[in-house]
Amino acid sequence: MRNNNNLLANLDWPTVLIFLALTFMGWVSIYSAVFDEEYSSIFDLSQRYGKQMLWIVLAIVLAFIVMLTDAKFFSAFAFPIYFLILIVLVGVLLFGATIAGSKSWFQIGGFALQPSEFAKFGTALALAAYLGRLNADLSQLKTRLVAIGIIVLPALLILAQYDTGSAIVFTVFVLVMYREGMSGAIMIIALIAVVLFIATIYTQQVYVLIGLLVLFGVALLFIKRHIINIMKLIGLLLIAAAFVLSVDYVFHSVLEPHQTSRINVLLGLETDLKGAGYNVNQSKIAIGSGGFFGKGFLNGTQTKYNFVPEQSTDFIFCTVGEEYGFAGSLIVIGLYLTMLIRIITMAERQRSVFSRVYGYGVASILFFHFAINIGMTIGLVPVIGIPLPFFSYGGSSLWAFTIMLFVFLRLDAYRLNTL
Amino acid sequence: MKKNLYATRQNIIIFIFLAIGVLFVGKLFYLQIINTSYKLSSQNNVLRYMTQFPARGKMFDRNGKVLVYNESAYDLMVTPKLVKQMDTLEFCRLLKIDRQAFYARFKKASTHSRHRASIFLEQVSKEDYAYIAEKLYHFPGFYFQARTLRKYPSPIAAHILGDVGEVNQKNIDNDHYYKSGDYIGKSGMERHYEEAVRGKKGLKIVMVDVYNRAKGSFENGRYDTLPVAGKDLVLGLDAALQLYGEELMHGKTGSVVAIDPSSGEIIALVTSPGYDPNLLVGRVRSSNYNKLLEQPEKPLINRAISGTYPPGSTFKLVNALVALHTGAITPSTQFSCQGKSSSPIKCTHSHQSPLPLAPAIENSCNSYFWNTFRCILNNHRHRSLKDAYEEWQTLMFSFGFGKPFNTDIPFELPGNVPTRDYFDKVYQGSWNAMTVRSLAIGQGEILLTPLQMANEVAIIGNKGFYYPPHLIRKIGDGDSIDPSFTTKHYTGIDPQHFEVVKNAMRDVFEGAHGTARYNKIEGIDAGGKTGTVQNPHGEDHSLFIAFAPFDVPKIAISVVVENAGYGSQWAAPIATLMMEKYLTGDVKRKELEEKILNKNFNEEANAEQQ
């Protein structure tokens, strides 16, 4: 009993409260988004809001189970969990069901489970376990390669399911590796490469090359105009240009049209072409029409009359923007940032590297979802269909995020016992 | 335990988190607070402004019989922006149009506005509507809007009732009430009483979902306005008499105008050839209009108000009144007549000679009226003939000649009263009674519309006054009609002089030599006057004017049958049949009626040409 009391006392309640607040607000927003007058009860299990309530209850049960599990279990079984998830990902490729173009679901009766949501959790565990080893040193190539391998393996499997959005999430582990000692330059170069790749496919290479030249010019103004610096810069420019040209060449000349098309679909380019940015435009209209205080609960016309597609899942933030306005949006963004910073602070107070790296992993994944999802709804980021943590409709993502978060809270509650 | 080497990097990571947060808040601030266009877009998304068209006022005749009512029709509307990919072929089949028409109509609507609804297909009938509406949900962007179409239970009085058509740009510019696609009265009563009849459009704001399905009213209908139905009109017209007049005039060119002398209300206004008013309704309006416009008989012209004729012998009554008034003659003044050898105007009637005024009217003696006219102009009260002419001219205008009545009958022509200045100009100042002698017998420059002729005989029946002829009797629930319509007008003639002329008109029927003695109506005391108008283009026009009952007339009538011969032969029978029908509700002279109904001048003329 003493142990249990300690557990409750050591649990980081601010994070739990934010978690509860976000899930509750998400539930209410889903109610608004798919509100149907014929089924007006928020507990109606035939509607998404009723189901989400069920998912929330199950998520809380899962959180309890996690809290009751021995903290050492997670570091000890990090790799088994990771490999189990890899096997499941392969299984999905072989036996999975295709929903909305992604072969990333296990259909069990009327219920669909998405293993890729759990893969992020497994990868965070494995990465933490690996970097927690005494001989792991990210300044060394070998460590970096193994770490990257741990990250890339599930990402590739998810990519093979045509669930690009979820695969892209794994790039965020760069932040974790940066915190653990990887050179910042690698992070920046990786970022630049991703940006260049996407930019080249989204626009014409000419514009990307012009952009590079402009950046080069700007950089020239800021560096010491030493011959070696200039040569380095020119070298960088040439490598970047070669990268862009080869991406473009491969994309347009080597690949068959159907392959190109597939990549476009992966990047959400072709659906976007069809809708001509319809989703984002309607999403911006919904949020923009909210004004300062919003239109009020169930009064969002964009929301209520289904002008925004996917509103209960990927575009759930529209509901907040339209019905609760700038004030409501500010609160939601504030809650997320508070949670993220709280997790970082908590990660830093961990005594074990495993717990710290895992904490960073959790923070990074949550951050990436938060940034891409909200950025997409307000038109800052291309449409990449990934859910808003704790908020969007869907059992898999809610449970995966809940387990991920509570495993960290469990580790944090245990931190003083590791001495 | 490894050393925590890179702890400061947490700050950079937190900074990245915060930077993204700040970026989001900034963008949200822009979207939600600064940029207001999104609010508008969301309203455009969800609000549909549906015009509620009021029912146009109905029209009734003086006995409460319906002349015009409304029938529902539906305009198919399209909002081009909301139109999704669709099965055009199926859609065209549904609407019974071809693909070219589809694309042409769609393009027209798109040019008008991509975001606002415009008419795609006008006036779909009730039957088609039910069928199409059922399938319309397959075609987002299209919806029906209810409209009403004019319907005429009996195809009469087309020219009077007028027609309704789509507004043109000028209408829209002149009156902001109208929007493109609205309807407006184009002619007749529809045009003159447009403001009363059109009612007031209502507006309903509904909220629609992404599939353009109506989801309910906006703010519980706080901004909705109900349409106000147009006011009904009651006309002075007698539908039965109008129909009878149109039947009698069938196959003849000309007109019949019947006025209630006690009020100026027009009881019948027939122009022939006419057309079925149902032809100018709805989608077929413009094509039918053009067809009617091209017909050589010119059925669109309302001869009763815009046909102008020399009044011929019917005009002798007016000259007699002027002569009595100016003292040029007295009722007992006698003139002699040499019949066909009379000079300068020969007389075609054989009668006693010399003769006083009353028998001169009964016999329509040309010589008598030439002498009368000469006496008017050579009146010693005036310093010159021209001054005397000017008095004549002024008295003519006091009968309502030479100018339109300007009541509620659109497109009315003024006719012509030649003025002193006119003759001065034509004859370079040197003219006399001899020069303008045709006026003595209603020929020459004097031109009257059949409406003016009917009013003339109403004046004589009333012994000296008239109310401006008008069509309206009552607007809505008793809104007062234009007070100028009910203002009594006196002519310049001293009322005492009417007695003798009026009595002489009875002799036209009753006298042994009366020119209309064969057209007497059993049991009805009436007065009339024939006219046979010489016509340089062909056969004489047959004219007749009459009133009845004699003492307090209820009907004053003028009949013109073009190129038909003697007034007594065609115009007089038609006029008396009309009066008989109106006053007794029945016609006893079946043989005469039969003869008139079967006479078809127009067919005969065509047969001759072929």
Side-chain angles (χ1 to χ4, degrees), chain A residues 285-339:
Chain A
I285 289 172
I287 293 169
S289 64
F292 192 86
F293 286 114
K295 297 175 185 171
F297 178 56
L298 287 184
N299 286 334
T301 53
Q302 289 281 105
T303 297
K304 203 155 66 170
Y305 301 134
N306 307 323
F307 284 95
V308 188
E310 302 293 335
Q311 201 172 344
S312 62
T313 55
D314 297 344
F315 283 92
I316 191 68
F317 188 71
C318 295
T319 314
V320 176
E322 186 177 23
E323 298 199 336
Y324 308 103
F326 183 66
S329 308
L330 218 55
I331 289 172
V332 170
I333 288 174
L335 285 174
Y336 275 109
L337 289 177
T338 310
M339 182 188 252

Coordinates of all heavy atoms in Angstrom, one line a residue, chain A residues 285-339:
Chain A
I285 N -11.4 28.9 -43.5 CA -12.7 29.6 -43.4 C -13.3 29.4 -42.0 O -13.8 30.3 -41.3 CB -13.7 29.3 -44.5 CG1 -13.2 29.8 -45.8 CG2 -15.1 29.8 -44.2 CD1 -14.0 29.3 -47.0
A286 N -13.3 28.1 -41.6 CA -13.9 27.7 -40.3 C -13.2 28.4 -39.2 O -13.9 29.1 -38.4 CB -13.8 26.2 -40.1
I287 N -11.9 28.3 -39.2 CA -11.1 28.9 -38.1 C -11.3 30.4 -38.1 O -11.5 31.1 -37.1 CB -9.7 28.5 -38.1 CG1 -9.6 27.0 -37.9 CG2 -8.8 29.2 -37.2 CD1 -8.2 26.3 -38.1
G288 N -11.1 31.0 -39.4 CA -11.1 32.4 -39.5 C -12.4 33.1 -39.1 O -12.5 34.2 -38.6
S289 N -13.5 32.3 -39.4 CA -14.8 32.9 -39.1 C -15.2 32.8 -37.6 O -16.2 33.4 -37.1 CB -15.9 32.2 -39.9 OG -16.0 30.8 -39.5
G290 N -14.3 32.2 -36.8 CA -14.5 32.1 -35.4 C -14.4 33.4 -34.6 O -15.0 33.6 -33.6
G291 N -13.5 34.3 -35.2 CA -13.4 35.6 -34.5 C -12.7 35.4 -33.2 O -12.0 34.4 -32.9
F292 N -12.9 36.3 -32.3 CA -12.2 36.3 -31.0 C -12.8 35.2 -30.1 O -12.0 34.4 -29.5 CB -12.2 37.7 -30.3 CG -11.2 37.7 -29.2 CD1 -9.9 38.0 -29.4 CD2 -11.6 37.4 -27.9 CE1 -9.0 38.0 -28.4 CE2 -10.7 37.4 -26.9 CZ -9.4 37.7 -27.1
F293 N -14.1 35.3 -29.9 CA -14.7 34.4 -28.9 C -15.4 33.1 -29.5 O -15.9 32.3 -28.9 CB -15.7 35.1 -28.0 CG -15.0 36.0 -27.0 CD1 -15.1 37.3 -27.0 CD2 -14.2 35.4 -26.0 CE1 -14.5 38.2 -26.1 CE2 -13.5 36.2 -25.1 CZ -13.7 37.6 -25.1
G294 N -15.4 33.1 -30.9 CA -16.0 32.0 -31.5 C -17.5 32.1 -31.6 O -18.1 33.0 -31.1
K295 N -18.1 31.1 -32.4 CA -19.5 31.2 -32.6 C -20.3 30.5 -31.5 O -21.5 30.5 -31.4 CB -19.9 30.5 -33.9 CG -19.3 31.2 -35.1 CD -19.5 30.5 -36.4 CE -18.8 31.2 -37.6 NZ -18.9 30.4 -38.8
G296 N -19.6 29.8 -30.6 CA -20.2 29.1 -29.5 C -20.5 27.6 -29.8 O -20.5 27.2 -31.0
F297 N -20.7 26.9 -28.7 CA -20.9 25.4 -28.8 C -22.0 25.1 -29.7 O -23.1 25.6 -29.6 CB -21.1 24.9 -27.4 CG -21.4 23.4 -27.3 CD1 -20.5 22.5 -27.8 CD2 -22.5 23.0 -26.7 CE1 -20.7 21.2 -27.7 CE2 -22.7 21.6 -26.6 CZ -21.8 20.7 -27.1
L298 N -21.7 24.2 -30.7 CA -22.7 23.7 -31.7 C -23.2 24.8 -32.6 O -24.2 24.6 -33.4 CB -23.9 23.1 -31.0 CG -23.7 21.7 -30.4 CD1 -25.0 21.1 -29.8 CD2 -23.1 20.7 -31.4
N299 N -22.6 26.0 -32.6 CA -23.0 27.0 -33.5 C -22.1 27.2 -34.7 O -22.3 28.1 -35.5 CB -23.2 28.4 -32.8 CG -24.4 28.4 -31.9 OD1 -25.4 27.7 -32.2 ND2 -24.4 29.1 -30.8
G300 N -21.1 26.4 -34.8 CA -20.2 26.6 -36.0 C -20.9 26.1 -37.2 O -21.2 24.9 -37.3
T301 N -21.1 27.0 -38.1 CA -21.8 26.5 -39.3 C -21.0 25.7 -40.2 O -21.4 24.7 -40.9 CB -22.3 27.7 -40.1 OG1 -21.3 28.6 -40.4 CG2 -23.4 28.4 -39.3
Q302 N -19.7 26.0 -40.3 CA -18.8 25.2 -41.1 C -18.7 23.8 -40.6 O -18.6 22.8 -41.3 CB -17.4 25.8 -41.1 CG -17.2 27.1 -41.8 CD -17.0 26.9 -43.3 OE1 -18.0 27.1 -44.1 NE2 -15.9 26.4 -43.7
T303 N -18.6 23.8 -39.2 CA -18.5 22.5 -38.5 C -19.8 21.7 -38.7 O -19.7 20.6 -39.0 CB -18.3 22.8 -37.0 OG1 -17.1 23.6 -36.9 CG2 -18.2 21.6 -36.2
K304 N -20.9 22.3 -38.3 CA -22.1 21.6 -38.3 C -22.6 21.1 -39.6 O -23.2 20.1 -39.8 CB -23.2 22.6 -37.7 CG -24.3 21.8 -37.1 CD -25.1 22.6 -36.0 CE -25.8 23.9 -36.5 NZ -26.6 24.5 -35.5
Y305 N -22.3 21.9 -40.7 CA -22.8 21.5 -42.0 C -21.7 20.9 -42.9 O -21.8 20.9 -44.1 CB -23.5 22.7 -42.6 CG -24.6 23.2 -41.8 CD1 -24.8 24.6 -41.6 CD2 -25.5 22.4 -41.2 CE1 -25.8 25.1 -40.8 CE2 -26.6 22.8 -40.5 CZ -26.7 24.2 -40.2 OH -27.7 24.6 -39.5
N306 N -20.7 20.3 -42.2 CA -19.8 19.5 -42.9 C -19.0 20.1 -44.0 O -18.7 19.4 -45.0 CB -20.5 18.2 -43.4 CG -21.3 17.5 -42.4 OD1 -20.9 17.5 -41.2 ND2 -22.4 17.0 -42.7
F307 N -18.7 21.4 -43.9 CA -17.9 22.0 -45.0 C -16.5 21.6 -44.9 O -15.8 21.6 -45.9 CB -18.0 23.5 -44.9 CG -19.3 24.0 -45.4 CD1 -20.4 24.3 -44.5 CD2 -19.5 24.2 -46.8 CE1 -21.6 24.7 -45.0 CE2 -20.8 24.6 -47.3 CZ -21.8 24.8 -46.4
V308 N -16.0 21.2 -43.8 CA -14.6 20.7 -43.7 C -14.6 19.2 -43.6 O -15.2 18.6 -42.8 CB -13.9 21.3 -42.4 CG1 -12.5 21.0 -42.4 CG2 -14.2 22.8 -42.2
P309 N -13.9 18.6 -44.6 CA -13.8 17.2 -44.6 C -12.9 16.7 -43.4 O -12.1 17.4 -42.9 CB -13.1 16.8 -45.9 CG -13.1 18.1 -46.7 CD -13.2 19.2 -45.8
E310 N -13.1 15.4 -43.0 CA -12.2 14.8 -42.0 C -12.2 15.6 -40.7 O -11.2 15.7 -40.0 CB -10.8 14.7 -42.5 CG -10.6 13.9 -43.8 CD -10.9 12.4 -43.6 OE1 -10.8 11.9 -42.4 OE2 -11.4 11.8 -44.5
Q311 N -13.4 16.3 -40.4 CA -13.3 17.2 -39.3 C -13.2 16.6 -38.0 O -12.6 17.2 -37.0 CB -14.5 18.2 -39.4 CG -14.1 19.4 -38.6 CD -15.1 20.5 -38.7 OE1 -16.0 20.5 -39.6 NE2 -15.0 21.5 -37.8
S312 N -13.7 15.4 -37.8 CA -13.5 14.8 -36.5 C -12.2 14.2 -36.2 O -11.8 14.0 -35.1 CB -14.6 13.7 -36.3 OG -14.4 12.7 -37.2
T313 N -11.4 14.0 -37.3 CA -10.1 13.4 -37.1 C -9.0 14.4 -37.4 O -8.6 15.1 -36.4 CB -9.9 12.2 -38.1 OG1 -10.2 12.6 -39.4 CG2 -10.9 11.0 -37.7
D314 N -8.5 14.5 -38.6 CA -7.4 15.4 -38.8 C -7.7 16.8 -38.7 O -6.8 17.6 -38.4 CB -6.8 15.1 -40.3 CG -6.3 13.6 -40.4 OD1 -6.1 13.0 -39.3 OD2 -6.1 13.2 -41.5
F315 N -8.9 17.3 -39.0 CA -9.2 18.7 -39.0 C -10.0 19.1 -37.8 O -10.8 20.0 -37.8 CB -9.9 19.1 -40.3 CG -9.0 19.2 -41.4 CD1 -8.7 18.2 -42.3 CD2 -8.3 20.4 -41.7 CE1 -7.9 18.3 -43.4 CE2 -7.4 20.6 -42.7 CZ -7.2 19.5 -43.6
I316 N -9.8 18.4 -36.6 CA -10.6 18.6 -35.4 C -10.3 20.0 -34.9 O -11.2 20.7 -34.3 CB -10.3 17.6 -34.4 CG1 -11.3 17.7 -33.2 CG2 -8.9 17.6 -33.9 CD1 -12.7 17.3 -33.6
F317 N -9.1 20.6 -35.2 CA -8.8 21.9 -34.6 C -9.7 23.0 -35.2 O -9.9 24.0 -34.5 CB -7.3 22.2 -34.9 CG -6.9 23.5 -34.2 CD1 -6.7 23.5 -32.8 CD2 -6.6 24.6 -34.9 CE1 -6.3 24.6 -32.1 CE2 -6.2 25.8 -34.2 CZ -6.1 25.8 -32.8
C318 N -10.3 22.8 -36.4 CA -11.3 23.7 -36.9 C -12.4 24.0 -36.0 O -12.9 25.1 -35.9 CB -11.9 23.2 -38.2 SG -10.7 22.9 -39.5
T319 N -12.9 22.9 -35.4 CA -14.0 23.1 -34.5 C -13.7 24.0 -33.3 O -14.5 24.9 -33.0 CB -14.4 21.7 -33.9 OG1 -14.4 20.8 -35.0 CG2 -15.7 21.7 -33.2
V320 N -12.5 23.9 -32.8 CA -12.0 24.7 -31.7 C -12.0 26.2 -32.2 O -12.5 27.1 -31.6 CB -10.6 24.3 -31.2 CG1 -10.1 25.3 -30.2 CG2 -10.7 22.9 -30.7
G321 N -11.3 26.3 -33.4 CA -11.2 27.7 -34.0 C -12.5 28.3 -34.3 O -12.7 29.5 -34.0
E322 N -13.5 27.6 -34.8 CA -14.7 28.2 -35.2 C -15.7 28.4 -34.0 O -16.2 29.5 -33.9 CB -15.5 27.3 -36.2 CG -16.7 28.0 -36.8 CD -17.4 27.2 -37.8 OE1 -17.3 25.9 -37.9 OE2 -18.2 27.8 -38.6
E323 N -15.8 27.4 -33.1 CA -16.8 27.6 -32.1 C -16.2 28.3 -30.8 O -17.0 28.9 -30.1 CB -17.3 26.2 -31.7 CG -18.0 25.5 -32.9 CD -18.9 24.4 -32.5 OE1 -18.8 23.8 -31.4 OE2 -19.8 24.1 -33.3
Y324 N -14.9 28.3 -30.6 CA -14.4 28.9 -29.5 C -13.4 30.1 -29.8 O -12.8 30.7 -28.9 CB -13.7 27.9 -28.5 CG -14.7 26.8 -28.2 CD1 -14.5 25.5 -28.8 CD2 -15.7 27.0 -27.4 CE1 -15.4 24.5 -28.6 CE2 -16.7 26.0 -27.1 CZ -16.5 24.7 -27.8 OH -17.4 23.7 -27.5
G325 N -13.2 30.3 -31.1 CA -12.5 31.5 -31.5 C -11.0 31.5 -31.2 O -10.4 30.5 -30.8
F326 N -10.5 32.7 -31.2 CA -9.0 32.9 -30.9 C -8.8 32.5 -29.5 O -7.8 31.9 -29.2 CB -8.7 34.4 -31.2 CG -7.2 34.7 -31.0 CD1 -6.3 34.1 -31.8 CD2 -6.8 35.5 -30.0 CE1 -4.9 34.5 -31.7 CE2 -5.5 35.9 -29.8 CZ -4.6 35.3 -30.7
A327 N -9.7 32.9 -28.6 CA -9.5 32.6 -27.2 C -9.4 31.1 -27.0 O -8.4 30.6 -26.3 CB -10.7 33.1 -26.4
G328 N -10.3 30.3 -27.5 CA -10.3 28.9 -27.4 C -9.0 28.3 -28.0 O -8.4 27.4 -27.4
S329 N -8.6 28.8 -29.2 CA -7.4 28.2 -29.8 C -6.2 28.5 -29.0 O -5.3 27.6 -28.9 CB -7.2 28.9 -31.2 OG -8.4 28.9 -32.0
L330 N -6.2 29.7 -28.4 CA -5.0 30.1 -27.5 C -4.9 29.1 -26.4 O -3.8 28.6 -26.0 CB -5.3 31.5 -27.0 CG -4.1 32.4 -26.9 CD1 -3.3 32.5 -28.2 CD2 -4.5 33.8 -26.5
I331 N -6.1 28.7 -25.8 CA -6.1 27.8 -24.6 C -5.5 26.5 -25.1 O -4.6 25.9 -24.4 CB -7.5 27.7 -24.1 CG1 -7.9 29.0 -23.4 CG2 -7.6 26.5 -23.1 CD1 -9.3 29.1 -22.9
V332 N -6.0 26.0 -26.2 CA -5.6 24.6 -26.6 C -4.1 24.6 -26.9 O -3.3 23.8 -26.5 CB -6.4 24.2 -27.9 CG1 -5.7 22.9 -28.5 CG2 -7.8 23.9 -27.5
I333 N -3.6 25.7 -27.7 CA -2.2 25.7 -28.0 C -1.4 25.9 -26.7 O -0.3 25.2 -26.5 CB -1.9 26.9 -28.9 CG1 -2.5 26.5 -30.3 CG2 -0.4 27.2 -29.0 CD1 -2.4 27.7 -31.3
G334 N -1.9 26.7 -25.8 CA -1.2 26.9 -24.5 C -1.1 25.5 -23.7 O -0.1 25.2 -23.1
L335 N -2.2 24.7 -23.7 CA -2.2 23.4 -23.0 C -1.1 22.5 -23.6 O -0.3 21.9 -22.9 CB -3.5 22.8 -23.1 CG -4.6 23.4 -22.2 CD1 -6.0 22.7 -22.5 CD2 -4.3 23.2 -20.7
Y336 N -1.1 22.5 -25.0 CA -0.1 21.6 -25.6 C 1.3 22.1 -25.3 O 2.2 21.2 -24.9 CB -0.3 21.6 -27.1 CG -1.3 20.6 -27.6 CD1 -2.5 21.0 -28.1 CD2 -1.1 19.2 -27.5 CE1 -3.5 20.1 -28.4 CE2 -2.0 18.3 -27.8 CZ -3.2 18.7 -28.3 OH -4.2 17.8 -28.7
L337 N 1.6 23.4 -25.4 CA 3.0 23.9 -25.1 C 3.3 23.6 -23.7 O 4.5 23.2 -23.4 CB 3.1 25.4 -25.5 CG 3.0 25.7 -26.9 CD1 3.1 27.2 -27.2 CD2 4.2 25.0 -27.7
T338 N 2.4 23.8 -22.8 CA 2.6 23.6 -21.3 C 3.0 22.1 -21.1 O 4.0 21.8 -20.4 CB 1.4 23.9 -20.5 OG1 1.0 25.3 -20.9 CG2 1.7 23.9 -19.0
M339 N 2.2 21.2 -21.7 CA 2.5 19.8 -21.6 C 3.9 19.4 -22.1 O 4.6 18.7 -21.5 CB 1.4 19.0 -22.3 CG 1.6 17.5 -22.2 SD 0.4 16.6 -23.2 CE -0.7 16.0 -22.0

